[in-house]
Amino acid sequence: SKVFSTQIPANAIQSMELITGAPDAQYGDKSSLVVNAVTRSGLGSRPMGSFETYWGSFATYGENATLAFGTPKFGNFIALDAVRTGHFLDTPEFLPIHDIGNNETIFDRLDWLASARDSLHLNVFAARNWFQVPNDYDQLSQDQKQRVLTWSLAPGYQHTFGATTLLTVNPFIRRDQVNYYPSANPLNDTPATISQQRFLTNYGAKVDVATAHKNHNIRMGTQVMDTALSERFFLGITNPSFNPVC
């Protein structure tokens, strides 16, 4: 949730199912663990919310806030979380050096019951990680940092055919941007100065039809998705003894 990308806030989850071992056919692109999470909704909810703040060692402080409201046909749920700490990457040293970071996330779910047979929802998520890369004692002047920006859109549509058949359509798109910044003075980076810029975009759609007949349940569907990756890396050796030509 901190190094590679960002994560959905825990206070936005209503329920969670973990599937281990051999997953069902509908999760054919997953190899081991499948997390089936249901996000919280404000559909039919009176205005309600929560706010929590906390602080602790290593100059750590943050907040978690939620707000839900709705009518029998419309609902909105929002979660806002933020944290700042001087021990962001949990380094094993007793005294963390250059390890300050912060994280902010916003999650919003909209629900609309268009009719007795049709329902739509939209999950919107955005997050940001910014943190320093921890130093050793021989890198005290090094000032490398990393920033991760994430956003995702996941609309959904459901239509019921009678009391036994359900059609579900879920398109989705998610984009991660990772920037790694060297020190302002590259010679302060040791044994190398590095930088990178990465973009990872995952998008697609999943459509399935589920029906129940007596003692049998049948589900048929398909999923189409694509992952677009763009990477740029830069590297410069600054320590003459790191890779000597001789």
Side-chain angles (χ1 to χ4, degrees):
S1 64
K2 293 180 179 179
V3 179
F4 176 73
S5 183
T6 54
Q7 70 178 23
I8 187 173
N11 55 355
I13 297 177
Q14 177 69 36
S15 63
M16 182 182 296
E17 176 190 13
L18 303 181
I19 304 173
T20 60
D24 298 338
Q26 60 178 316
Y27 306 113
D29 60 330
K30 310 301 179 185
S31 60
S32 55
L33 176 66
V34 176
V35 179
N36 188 6
V38 178
T39 54
R40 296 173 64 180
S41 171
L43 188 65
S45 173
R46 297 181 297 174
M48 58 182 297
S50 64
F51 179 79
E52 177 188 36
T53 182
Y54 56 90
W55 62 92
S57 57
F58 302 106
T60 300
Y61 51 86
E63 61 79 25
N64 302 318
T66 63
L67 175 64
F69 58 91
T71 66
K73 288 193 173 184
F74 172 80
N76 191 16
F77 174 83
I78 304 174
L80 297 169
D81 296 345
V83 62
R84 184 271 186 199
T85 178
H87 204 191
F88 193 80
L89 291 185
D90 299 327
T91 55
E93 287 82 1
F94 290 104
L95 176 63
I97 304 173
H98 197 261
D99 196 15
I100 299 174
N102 59 72
N103 166 258
E104 300 83 27
T105 63
I106 178 172
F107 173 85
D108 191 4
R109 170 168 174 167
L110 296 168
D111 291 273
W112 178 41
L113 294 182
S115 68
R117 293 177 177 266
D118 300 281
S119 65
L120 298 97
H121 74 266
L122 173 65
N123 285 345
V124 181
F125 172 67
R128 173 185 178 271
N129 276 349
W130 177 95
F131 57 88
Q132 299 172 329
V133 177
N135 294 343
D136 293 329
Y137 284 100
D138 57 350
Q139 301 171 318
L140 296 180
S141 59
Q142 183 170 282
D143 187 27
Q144 297 180 353
K145 305 181 182 71
Q146 179 169 302
R147 185 188 67 175
V148 183
L149 301 176
T150 300
W151 61 265
S152 70
L153 299 173
Y157 169 72
Q158 288 187 323
H159 177 78
T160 56
F161 300 90
T164 60
T165 305
L166 175 66
L167 168 68
T168 303
V169 181
N170 292 113
F172 57 89
I173 180 171
R174 175 186 172 109
R175 184 176 176 89
D176 291 298
Q177 176 182 344
V178 179
N179 293 91
Y180 193 99
Y181 303 102
S183 301
N185 182 1
L187 296 179
N188 290 335
D189 294 342
T190 180
T193 180
I194 60 175
S195 67
Q196 62 175 298
Q197 185 179 47
R198 293 183 289 150
F199 294 91
L200 180 67
T201 306
N202 182 257
Y203 57 93
K206 180 179 180 181
V207 181
D208 63 70
V209 177
T211 184
H213 179 69
K214 295 183 179 180
N215 296 330
H216 304 281
N217 296 323
I218 301 175
R219 173 174 289 184
M220 297 173 291
T222 184
Q223 177 171 308
V224 179
M225 59 184 296
D226 185 40
T227 300
L229 177 64
S230 174
E231 297 179 316
R232 298 179 65 189
F233 298 93
F234 300 91
L235 171 68
I237 304 299
T238 59
N239 186 346
S241 63
F242 182 74
N243 187 27
V245 178
C246 59

